[in-house]
Amino acid sequence: MLSSARLLQRQKQSMVASPQLIESIRLLQLARAELHQFVEQELEKNPLLEPASNDGEALGDVPISADQSTGAREKDTDRPTNAAAAERPGEWKSLRNTTNTPADSRPALDEFAACTETLHDRVAGQIALTAFTPQERLIAGELAAHLEDTGYLRVDLVELAGKLNAREADVERVLATLQQFDPPGIFARTLSECLEIQLRQRDRFDPAMAALVSNLEMVARRDFQALKQHCCVDEEDLLEMLHEIRALDPKPGNRFQSGAPESIIPDVWVTPSPGGGWQIELDPDALPKVLINQTYFAEISRHAVQDPKDQAFLNECLQNANWLIRSLDQRAKTILKVATEIVRQQDAFFQHGVAHLRPLNLRTVAEAINVHESTVSRVTSNKYMLTPRGVFELKYFFTVAIASCQGGDAHSAEAVRHRIKAIIAQESPGDVLSDDEIAVRLKETGINVARRTVTKYREAMNIPSSVGRRREKRLWLIGDQS
C-alpha cells in the first residue's frame, strides 16, 4: 500500500525581538551617565550623527514637560570637517573609520579618569564573549536585565520563557551558563544557591557541605548539634566548614558599588504648579541632544552611488541614526509618562509628607499608562526625581500595602516605617517601648501590623531594641546632667 506525500503550508505567529528592539529596551534601563556614554559611542561610530549645538534652537535645550517630549531632531547644516572631505570622492572610504570629533578639540581632563565598572557592565562583557546562539543571547540579555545590584536574579523562569517564546529548558541552560560568570555567585535566586555556586567553583561542594548549605536556618540558630547530625561530621570538621561558609560572599554584586560616592543628579523635576497641582519636567541635561546632518548625507550620497558597498554603509548609518533619534524620543516620553503617573498616584505624599505615602506597585502604573510592567521596572531603575521634599529614586514610591484594622485604605510600608521611627523618636528614658507596645500604638492609629513586622522594620532602619535604646537614653541623660 503506497502512501502519498503531501506538502502542507501552515501559518504560525511568533514574537521575534530584533537587535534594535532589544537595544531600545536596554536604553530604558540605562542610567543618566550610561546613556550619555552610549550616545557618545554612537556619535563616534556614525559619521551622519553630530551633537546638537547649545544655541537654544534645539528642542532638547528646554525642559521637557508633561505635554511635550523629544530626544533629538534633524537639522540641515554643513559640517566643515566631513563636508570638505565629501568634495574628494576618493577619500569617502576612509570616513567609515573616522569620528565626528573636530581635529582641534581637546578632551577634558576628567575623560582620562577610569570609569567605574558596574555589575551590569561586567555581565554584558562576559555575555558578548560567550558562544551563545542568537536565541540564547536574547535569553541571556533578558536574564541580565532582571539582575539586581546585589547579584541575585529575581524573575520567574516559566513566565520569562513564555514571554520570549522559548522552552523552559533553554532558559535554565542559559542560566546555568550565566551562573559560571564572574563574580562567583551571581545569578543565584537564593542565598543557598549563591553559596552553592561559589563552593562548586572552589570544588568544595561535597555531600557534607551540601547538607550544611541546605540547613542555613540551623546555622542562624547556631544549632551545632543538629548540624553535626545532618552533615555527618564531627565538631572540628563542622567548625572548618562554617569557616569556609563565612569566607564566601553572600552578595557578590555589592563589590561593584564600593568606592567614592557619586553625586545624584535627578532626571525628573517636580515643582508646584501656579494653578494648583504639580508640574513634571525632564531635566534637559539628562537628554542627549543629537541630530542628522542632512546636507552632509546628500553630499556623500552623490559619490557613494558609484560603489555599492559605500552606498550600503551609508544607508546603514542613516538607518541607525534614525533609530537612535526615535529611541531617545520614546525613552524621554516613557520616563515622563511614568513620572507623571507616580506623581498622580502619590499626590498626598507631595502635599503632606512620607506619612501619607500610598501603597503602589508596578502593575498599577503600567495599566494606567498602557505599557508592560517590565517597562515600568526598567524606567524606574536608577532614575531620580527632584521634589520639594527632596530627591528620591523612582522605585522609592513603590511599596507594599499594610492592611488597615479600621476598614479604611491600606497603608504604605514606607509610611509605616516612618511612623515607627516617629514613635521611637518621641520616647523618654523612662518610657521606652517594646516592639509589642509599638504594634499596639500603631493599631490605635488604624495600622494593623504584627510584632514581628515591627521588629523587621526597626532592624531594617538600624534602630536598636528597647533594651539598647533604654541604655543609650540613660547614658545621654547622665551626660546631660553632668
Side-chain angles (χ1 to χ4, degrees):
M1 183 175 181
L2 298 177
S3 60
S4 59
R6 291 185 300 172
L7 182 63
L8 300 178
Q9 187 176 14
R10 297 180 180 177
Q11 289 185 344
K12 181 181 179 181
Q13 291 184 343
S14 61
M15 294 182 61
V16 179
S18 65
Q20 286 191 342
L21 176 59
I22 297 174
E23 200 69 20
S24 297
I25 294 174
R26 191 174 74 89
L27 282 182
L28 286 174
Q29 191 168 0
L30 292 181
R32 181 193 188 109
E34 296 171 333
L35 177 66
H36 280 268
Q37 183 180 7
F38 174 82
V39 172
E40 286 295 329
Q41 293 173 352
E42 291 297 316
L43 287 171
E44 291 186 2
K45 292 190 300 183
N46 196 330
L48 299 182
L49 280 174
E50 64 181 12
S53 61
N54 294 323
D55 55 4
E57 296 180 358
L59 286 175
D61 290 341
V62 298
I64 306 294
S65 61
D67 57 352
Q68 65 177 131
S69 173
T70 184
R73 69 183 181 101
E74 297 182 359
K75 179 181 178 184
D76 289 335
T77 58
D78 287 330
R79 180 170 42 190
T81 54
N82 286 347
E87 298 177 358
R88 302 185 293 275
E91 297 186 11
W92 158 244
K93 293 182 181 180
S94 65
L95 290 177
R96 302 180 204 173
N97 298 320
T98 61
T99 66
N100 298 317
T101 305
D104 58 348
S105 64
R106 294 294 182 268
L109 182 61
D110 56 1
E111 293 182 9
F112 291 97
C115 296
T116 303
E117 185 183 31
T118 66
L119 176 62
H120 288 83
D121 291 337
R122 174 69 65 88
V123 170
Q126 294 176 88
I127 290 177
L129 297 176
T130 304
F132 284 132
T133 65
Q135 174 72 359
E136 290 173 341
R137 195 170 298 279
L138 175 63
I139 295 173
E142 191 65 25
L143 288 171
H146 289 83
L147 189 66
E148 295 184 344
D149 291 338
T150 56
Y152 283 86
L153 180 66
R154 307 297 186 191
V155 66
D156 186 286
L157 297 187
V158 177
E159 181 180 344
L160 182 64
K163 175 185 174 182
L164 299 178
N165 194 24
R167 296 183 303 173
E168 185 179 355
D170 294 335
V171 177
E172 292 178 349
R173 185 178 64 255
V174 173
L175 176 59
T177 302
L178 296 179
Q179 288 180 344
Q180 299 175 15
F181 281 9
D182 182 71
I186 59 172
F187 286 98
R189 290 158 289 183
T190 63
L191 175 59
S192 298
E193 189 175 34
C194 179
L195 300 179
E196 177 183 341
I197 293 171
Q198 296 179 61
L199 289 168
R200 286 188 182 278
Q201 294 189 16
R202 298 185 179 193
D203 197 21
R204 284 291 297 122
F205 194 70
D206 53 28
M209 192 65 80
L212 179 62
V213 170
S214 62
N215 290 279
L216 292 178
E217 68 281 356
M218 294 183 182
V219 177
R221 296 197 309 265
R222 304 180 67 85
D223 192 351
F224 297 144
Q225 293 298 329
L227 283 172
K228 287 191 292 184
Q229 295 178 4
H230 279 81
C231 300
C232 300
V233 296
D234 56 21
E235 184 173 348
E236 183 179 353
D237 289 336
L238 178 62
L239 292 176
E240 183 179 346
M241 292 165 60
L242 290 173
H243 180 73
E244 288 189 62
I245 290 291
R246 292 192 184 97
L248 303 178
D249 191 348
K251 295 181 179 180
N254 279 0
R255 68 183 67 177
F256 291 88
Q257 301 174 5
S258 59
E262 299 181 0
S263 58
I264 295 178
I265 304 176
D267 302 88
V268 183
W269 299 342
V270 178
T271 55
S273 179
W278 304 96
Q279 183 175 357
I280 302 99
E281 298 176 333
L282 293 184
D283 181 3
D285 292 335
L287 302 173
K289 295 172 278 292
V290 297
L291 47 84
I292 299 175
N293 192 325
Q294 295 287 1
T295 303
Y296 178 64
F297 171 72
E299 289 288 337
I300 295 298
S301 296
R302 298 193 191 101
H303 308 293
V305 293
Q306 302 175 4
D307 189 337
K309 293 183 179 180
D310 288 344
Q311 185 63 48
F313 175 74
L314 184 61
N315 291 336
E316 181 182 0
C317 289
L318 181 62
Q319 180 182 0
N320 291 338
N322 285 323
W323 164 82
L324 180 61
I325 289 175
R326 290 194 303 269
S327 297
L328 291 175
D329 181 72
Q330 185 61 38
R331 179 183 185 273
K333 290 179 179 178
T334 305
I335 293 176
L336 194 61
K337 284 182 180 179
V338 172
T340 302
E341 182 60 23
I342 289 175
V343 173
R344 189 183 74 84
Q345 294 280 352
Q346 301 290 5
D347 179 69
F349 163 82
F350 292 101
Q351 291 189 23
H352 307 294
V354 67
H356 297 269
L357 195 66
R358 293 180 52 194
L360 185 63
N361 55 42
L362 299 175
R363 179 174 298 179
T364 301
V365 173
E367 292 176 351
I369 62 177
N370 196 26
V371 298
H372 194 272
E373 188 175 340
S374 62
T375 300
V376 180
S377 177
R378 291 185 177 93
V379 168
T380 56
S381 177
N382 299 318
K383 312 293 189 310
Y384 294 87
M385 178 184 290
L386 175 63
T387 76
R389 298 192 176 275
V391 178
F392 300 89
E393 188 177 10
L394 294 185
K395 285 187 178 295
Y396 171 82
F397 299 99
F398 296 88
T399 59
V400 298
I402 303 295
S404 172
C405 58
Q406 298 177 352
D409 294 336
H411 301 272
S412 163
E414 184 63 30
V416 174
R417 282 192 285 267
H418 174 76
R419 295 197 183 189
I420 292 174
K421 187 176 182 180
I423 290 173
I424 293 176
Q426 295 174 358
E427 292 176 336
S428 63
D431 186 24
V432 176
L433 303 176
S434 66
D435 292 344
D436 284 313
E437 292 170 328
I438 293 176
V440 171
R441 293 279 185 95
L442 291 173
K443 287 182 180 179
E444 292 174 353
T445 62
I447 302 175
N448 186 19
V449 293
R451 190 270 310 163
R452 62 180 179 273
T453 304
V454 174
T455 303
K456 180 178 71 173
Y457 287 174
R458 175 180 56 76
E459 292 177 347
M461 294 185 289
N462 295 321
I463 298 177
S465 64
S466 58
V467 176
R469 299 200 306 276
R470 186 177 294 108
R471 184 183 300 112
E472 290 179 357
K473 290 179 182 294
R474 287 176 179 173
L475 290 175
W476 295 337
L477 183 61
I478 294 173
D480 293 338
Q481 292 176 348
S482 61

